[in-house]
């Protein structure tokens, strides 16, 4: 079965690249960050504190969180409502790392992620896919880029959507999220020992996709 894990810090290009790799290999793409974002959005809507681990777990146990791929794009639903766009709000982005640090939240989402990968071929991206969710993935990639480049990419992405933000604030927020994700106790962001480090600074999306597809081909060749 195809199991590709792509981890790395914010703005490294994980979702863009993982989605294209999945398309090239004709397998499912799973954006696990969207699941942490959906829990965060629901907590904010329902007035559940993002610090309240037990409250968040209760909310997660009650909510119906589903992912569906439509026209090659992963869509996220909470109790039947499409929240694909809403989970990208600045407020959710600001709070998501706090929610994701709670072991009771991670336990449930990791279980769902493993289940998805057990029945179908996947390219899965996140922070702990190679280290915790799919430790036996046939190919693990740790995608990085300099913080300046990552902030620049996000800045451009927002600008294209007509949203102007302060570049230094954006850079600060990304650094802060990376710090929280890397310093948490449970499944922190870190490169798995057997992951291939791919620094995308100065590389185009196509170059990164080609490199990963090539690495996968080599892995499959090694196994044959
Ligand atoms: O903004 P970006 O696309 O980089 O982030 P994301 O992939 O949507 O993930 C949002 C947040 O969810 C991350 O900053 C982590 O706090 C958390 N996350 C996690 O803890 N584990 C994962 N496997 C995926 C995301
Ligand atoms: O998922 P993650 O937070 O790692 O990053 P992303 O949302 O896939 O990518 C952030 C932005 O960087 C997107 O607008 C991509 O089009 C862009 N990007 C790029 O310019 N060059 C790359 N090699 C990869 C991504």
């Amino acid at each position: 079965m195809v199991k590709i894990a792509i981890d790395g810090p914010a703005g490294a290009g994980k979702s863009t690249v993982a989605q294209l790799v999945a398309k090239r290999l004709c397998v499912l793409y799973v954006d696990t960050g969207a699941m942490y974002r959906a829990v965060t959005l629901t907590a904010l809507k329902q007035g559940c504190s993002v610090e309240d681990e037990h409250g968040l777990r209760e909310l997660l146990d009650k909510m119906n969180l589903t992912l569906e791929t439509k026209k090659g794009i992963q869509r996220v639903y909470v109790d039947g409502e499409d929240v694909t766009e809403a989970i990208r709000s600045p407020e959710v982005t600001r709070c998501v790392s706090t929610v994701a640090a709670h072991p009771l939240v991670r336990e449930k989402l990791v279980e769902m992620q493993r289940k998805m990968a057990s029945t179908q071929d996947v390219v899965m991206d996140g922070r702990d896919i190679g280290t915790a969710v799919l430790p036996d993935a046939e190919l693990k990639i740790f995608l990085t880029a300099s913080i300046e480049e990552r902030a620049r990419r996000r800045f451009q992405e927002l600008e294209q959507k007509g949203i102007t933000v302060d570049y230094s604030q954006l850079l600060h927020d990304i650094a802060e999220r990376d710090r929280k994700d890397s310093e948490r106790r449970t499944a922190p962001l870190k490169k798995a020992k057997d992951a291939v480090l791919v620094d995308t600074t100065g590389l185009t999306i196509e170059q990164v996709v080609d490199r990963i597809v090539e690495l996968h081909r080599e892995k499959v060749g090694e196994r044959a």
Side-chain angles (χ1 to χ4, degrees):
M1 276 181 99
V2 179
K3 300 264 173 281
I4 300 180
I6 303 186
D7 293 300
K14 298 180 298 299
S15 17
T16 310
V17 163
Q19 203 170 321
L20 291 168
V21 170
K23 198 170 165 197
R24 288 262 285 266
L25 302 177
C26 297
V27 304
L28 180 71
Y29 162 58
V30 180
D31 168 4
T32 62
M35 300 168 81
Y36 291 92
R37 285 174 178 274
V39 178
T40 307
L41 175 74
T42 310
L44 292 172
K45 272 188 183 169
Q46 297 189 4
C48 174
S49 163
V50 294
E51 307 286 348
D52 178 5
E53 179 170 6
H54 288 273
L56 288 166
R57 177 56 190 257
E58 218 170 282
L59 175 138
L60 180 52
D61 284 336
K62 279 193 205 135
M63 71 192 253
N64 181 22
L65 169 61
T66 50
L67 305 180
E68 261 181 53
T69 304
K70 287 190 179 164
K71 294 182 187 157
I73 307 283
Q74 176 186 283
R75 302 210 70 87
V76 188
Y77 298 85
V78 173
D79 298 328
E81 185 192 345
D82 187 338
V83 295
T84 313
E85 275 83 37
I87 60 171
R88 306 282 154 199
S89 77
E91 203 187 0
V92 170
T93 303
R94 216 163 25 243
C95 297
V96 63
S97 292
T98 306
V99 170
H102 298 303
L104 287 177
V105 172
R106 303 200 70 80
E107 180 189 63
K108 172 98 184 208
L109 293 184
V110 167
E111 186 189 308
M112 289 169 73
Q113 291 154 10
R114 286 193 181 133
K115 211 166 171 187
M116 281 182 231
S118 70
T119 51
Q120 52 215 319
D121 292 336
V122 289
V123 176
M124 201 174 259
D125 89 327
R127 300 292 187 286
D128 62 338
I129 310 304
T131 53
V133 180
L134 304 175
D136 298 327
E138 56 182 349
L139 175 64
K140 299 180 186 178
I141 304 288
F142 194 83
L143 218 57
T144 60
S146 71
I147 180 123
E148 291 80 11
E149 171 129 357
R150 291 187 283 121
R152 207 161 37 237
R153 288 175 184 173
R154 275 278 189 271
F155 184 85
Q156 278 172 358
E157 195 179 85
L158 290 167
E159 219 174 30
Q160 277 162 13
K161 289 184 189 165
I163 307 167
T164 310
V165 292
D166 181 51
Y167 174 80
S168 41
Q169 181 65 43
L170 186 69
L171 192 131
H172 172 269
D173 290 351
I174 289 179
E176 187 54 20
R177 191 144 61 92
D178 287 350
R179 188 190 61 75
K180 278 191 190 156
D181 289 343
S182 309
E183 290 180 0
R184 70 175 174 231
R185 277 166 177 243
T186 312
L189 166 67
K190 73 166 195 244
K191 181 185 161 300
K193 279 199 190 83
D194 50 351
V196 181
L197 180 76
V198 177
D199 187 338
T200 72
T201 313
L203 295 184
T204 66
I205 294 167
E206 273 315 305
Q207 284 173 322
V208 182
V209 173
D210 285 348
R211 169 112 177 91
I212 297 174
V213 171
E214 184 52 34
L215 284 166
H216 180 250
R217 204 172 289 140
E218 283 170 20
K219 279 276 173 193
V220 173
E222 272 169 28
R223 258 191 344 206

Coordinates of all heavy atoms in Angstrom, one line a residue, residues 8-17 29 125 127 143 149-150 153-154 156-157 160 177 200 203-206 208, ligand 2:
G8 N 6.4 18.9 8.6 CA 7.2 20.1 8.5 C 6.5 21.3 9.1 O 5.3 21.3 9.4
P9 N 7.3 22.4 9.2 CA 6.7 23.6 9.8 C 5.7 24.4 8.9 O 5.6 24.0 7.7 CB 7.9 24.5 10.1 CG 8.9 24.1 9.0 CD 8.7 22.6 8.8
A10 N 5.0 25.4 9.5 CA 4.0 26.1 8.7 C 4.6 26.8 7.5 O 5.7 27.4 7.6 CB 3.4 27.2 9.6
G11 N 3.9 26.7 6.4 CA 4.3 27.4 5.2 C 5.4 26.7 4.4 O 5.9 27.3 3.4
A12 N 5.8 25.5 4.8 CA 6.9 24.8 4.0 C 6.4 24.3 2.7 O 7.2 23.9 1.8 CB 7.4 23.6 4.9
G13 N 5.1 24.3 2.5 CA 4.5 23.8 1.2 C 3.9 22.5 1.3 O 3.5 21.9 0.3
K14 N 3.7 22.0 2.5 CA 3.2 20.6 2.7 C 1.9 20.3 2.0 O 1.8 19.4 1.2 CB 3.0 20.3 4.2 CG 4.2 20.4 5.0 CD 3.9 20.0 6.5 CE 2.9 21.0 7.2 NZ 3.4 22.4 7.2
S15 N 0.8 21.2 2.3 CA -0.5 20.8 1.6 C -0.4 21.0 0.1 O -1.0 20.1 -0.6 CB -1.6 21.7 2.2 OG -1.1 22.8 2.9
T16 N 0.2 22.0 -0.4 CA 0.3 22.2 -1.8 C 1.0 21.0 -2.5 O 0.5 20.4 -3.5 CB 1.1 23.5 -2.1 OG1 0.6 24.5 -1.3 CG2 1.1 23.9 -3.6
V17 N 2.1 20.7 -1.9 CA 2.9 19.6 -2.5 C 2.3 18.2 -2.3 O 2.2 17.4 -3.3 CB 4.3 19.7 -1.9 CG1 5.1 18.4 -2.1 CG2 5.1 20.9 -2.4
Y29 N -5.4 12.2 -0.7 CA -4.6 13.2 0.1 C -5.3 13.5 1.4 O -6.5 13.8 1.4 CB -4.4 14.5 -0.7 CG -4.0 15.7 0.2 CD1 -2.8 15.6 1.0 CD2 -4.8 16.8 0.2 CE1 -2.5 16.7 1.8 CE2 -4.4 17.9 1.0 CZ -3.3 17.8 1.8 OH -2.9 18.9 2.6
D125 N -0.4 14.7 5.3 CA 0.6 15.7 5.8 C 0.2 16.3 7.1 O -1.0 16.2 7.5 CB 0.8 16.9 4.7 CG -0.3 18.0 4.9 OD1 -1.4 17.7 5.3 OD2 0.1 19.1 4.6
R127 N 2.2 17.2 11.2 CA 3.4 17.5 12.1 C 4.0 16.2 12.6 O 5.2 16.2 13.0 CB 3.0 18.4 13.2 CG 2.5 19.8 12.8 CD 3.5 20.7 12.2 NE 3.0 22.0 11.9 CZ 2.1 22.4 11.0 NH1 1.6 21.5 10.2 NH2 1.8 23.7 10.8
L143 N 9.6 18.4 5.2 CA 9.7 19.6 4.3 C 10.0 20.9 5.1 O 9.3 21.1 6.1 CB 8.3 19.7 3.6 CG 8.2 20.1 2.2 CD1 9.0 19.2 1.3 CD2 6.8 20.1 1.7
E149 N 11.3 32.8 3.9 CA 10.6 32.3 2.7 C 9.2 31.9 3.0 O 8.2 32.1 2.3 CB 11.4 31.2 2.0 CG 10.6 30.6 0.9 CD 11.3 30.5 -0.4 OE1 12.5 31.0 -0.5 OE2 10.8 29.9 -1.4
R150 N 9.0 31.2 4.2 CA 7.7 30.7 4.5 C 6.7 31.8 4.8 O 5.6 31.8 4.4 CB 7.8 29.7 5.7 CG 8.5 28.4 5.3 CD 8.5 27.4 6.4 NE 9.4 27.6 7.5 CZ 9.1 27.8 8.8 NH1 7.8 27.7 9.1 NH2 10.0 27.9 9.7
R153 N 5.8 33.4 1.5 CA 4.8 32.6 0.8 C 3.4 32.9 1.3 O 2.4 33.1 0.6 CB 5.1 31.1 0.9 CG 6.3 30.7 0.1 CD 6.6 29.2 0.4 NE 7.8 28.8 -0.2 CZ 8.3 27.6 0.0 NH1 7.8 26.8 0.8 NH2 9.4 27.2 -0.7
R154 N 3.2 32.8 2.6 CA 1.9 33.1 3.3 C 1.4 34.5 2.9 O 0.3 34.7 2.7 CB 2.1 33.0 4.8 CG 1.9 31.6 5.3 CD 0.4 31.2 5.4 NE 0.3 29.9 6.1 CZ 0.4 28.7 5.5 NH1 0.4 28.6 4.2 NH2 0.3 27.6 6.2
Q156 N 2.1 36.3 0.3 CA 1.7 36.4 -1.1 C 0.3 35.7 -1.2 O -0.5 36.2 -2.0 CB 2.7 35.7 -2.0 CG 3.8 36.6 -2.3 CD 5.0 35.9 -3.1 OE1 4.9 34.7 -3.3 NE2 6.0 36.7 -3.4
E157 N 0.2 34.6 -0.5 CA -1.1 33.8 -0.6 C -2.2 34.7 -0.1 O -3.3 34.7 -0.8 CB -0.9 32.6 0.3 CG -1.9 31.5 0.1 CD -1.6 30.3 1.1 OE1 -2.0 30.4 2.3 OE2 -0.9 29.4 0.7
Q160 N -3.0 37.5 -2.6 CA -3.8 37.1 -3.7 C -5.3 37.0 -3.4 O -6.1 37.1 -4.3 CB -3.3 35.7 -4.2 CG -2.1 35.9 -5.2 CD -1.3 34.6 -5.3 OE1 -1.7 33.5 -4.9 NE2 -0.1 34.7 -5.8
R177 N 4.0 29.8 16.3 CA 3.3 28.5 16.1 C 4.3 27.3 16.0 O 4.1 26.3 16.6 CB 2.4 28.6 14.9 CG 1.4 27.4 14.7 CD 0.1 27.9 14.2 NE 0.2 28.4 12.8 CZ 0.0 27.7 11.7 NH1 -0.2 26.4 11.8 NH2 0.1 28.3 10.5
T200 N 12.9 23.4 0.7 CA 12.2 23.9 -0.5 C 12.6 25.4 -0.7 O 12.0 25.9 -1.7 CB 10.7 23.7 -0.4 OG1 10.2 24.7 0.6 CG2 10.3 22.3 0.0
L203 N 13.0 26.5 -4.3 CA 12.5 25.5 -5.2 C 11.1 25.9 -5.6 O 10.3 26.4 -4.8 CB 12.5 24.1 -4.6 CG 13.9 23.5 -4.2 CD1 13.7 22.1 -3.7 CD2 14.8 23.5 -5.4
T204 N 10.7 25.5 -6.9 CA 9.3 25.7 -7.3 C 8.5 24.5 -6.8 O 9.1 23.5 -6.4 CB 9.2 25.8 -8.8 OG1 9.6 24.5 -9.3 CG2 10.1 26.8 -9.4
I205 N 7.2 24.7 -6.8 CA 6.3 23.6 -6.3 C 6.6 22.4 -7.2 O 6.7 21.3 -6.6 CB 4.9 24.1 -6.4 CG1 4.6 25.2 -5.4 CG2 3.9 22.9 -6.2 CD1 3.3 26.0 -5.6
E206 N 6.7 22.5 -8.5 CA 6.9 21.4 -9.4 C 8.2 20.7 -9.1 O 8.2 19.4 -9.1 CB 6.9 21.9 -10.9 CG 5.5 21.9 -11.5 CD 4.7 20.7 -11.2 OE1 5.2 19.6 -11.5 OE2 3.6 20.8 -10.7
V208 N 9.7 20.4 -6.2 CA 9.5 19.6 -5.0 C 8.7 18.4 -5.2 O 9.0 17.3 -4.8 CB 8.8 20.5 -3.9 CG1 8.7 19.7 -2.6 CG2 9.6 21.8 -3.6
Ligands
LIG2 O1 0.9 23.3 4.2 P1 2.0 24.3 4.5 O2 1.6 25.2 5.6 O3 3.3 23.6 4.7 O4 2.2 25.2 3.2 P2 1.2 25.5 2.0 O5 0.0 26.0 2.5 O6 1.1 24.2 1.1 O7 2.1 26.5 1.1 C1 2.2 27.9 1.5 C2 2.3 28.7 0.2 O8 3.6 28.5 -0.4 C3 1.3 28.4 -0.9 O9 0.8 29.6 -1.4 C4 2.2 27.7 -2.0 O10 1.7 27.9 -3.3 C5 3.5 28.3 -1.7 N1 4.7 27.5 -2.1 C6 5.6 28.0 -2.9 O11 5.6 29.1 -3.3 N2 6.7 27.2 -3.3 C7 6.9 26.0 -2.9 N3 8.0 25.3 -3.2 C8 5.9 25.4 -2.0 C9 4.8 26.2 -1.7

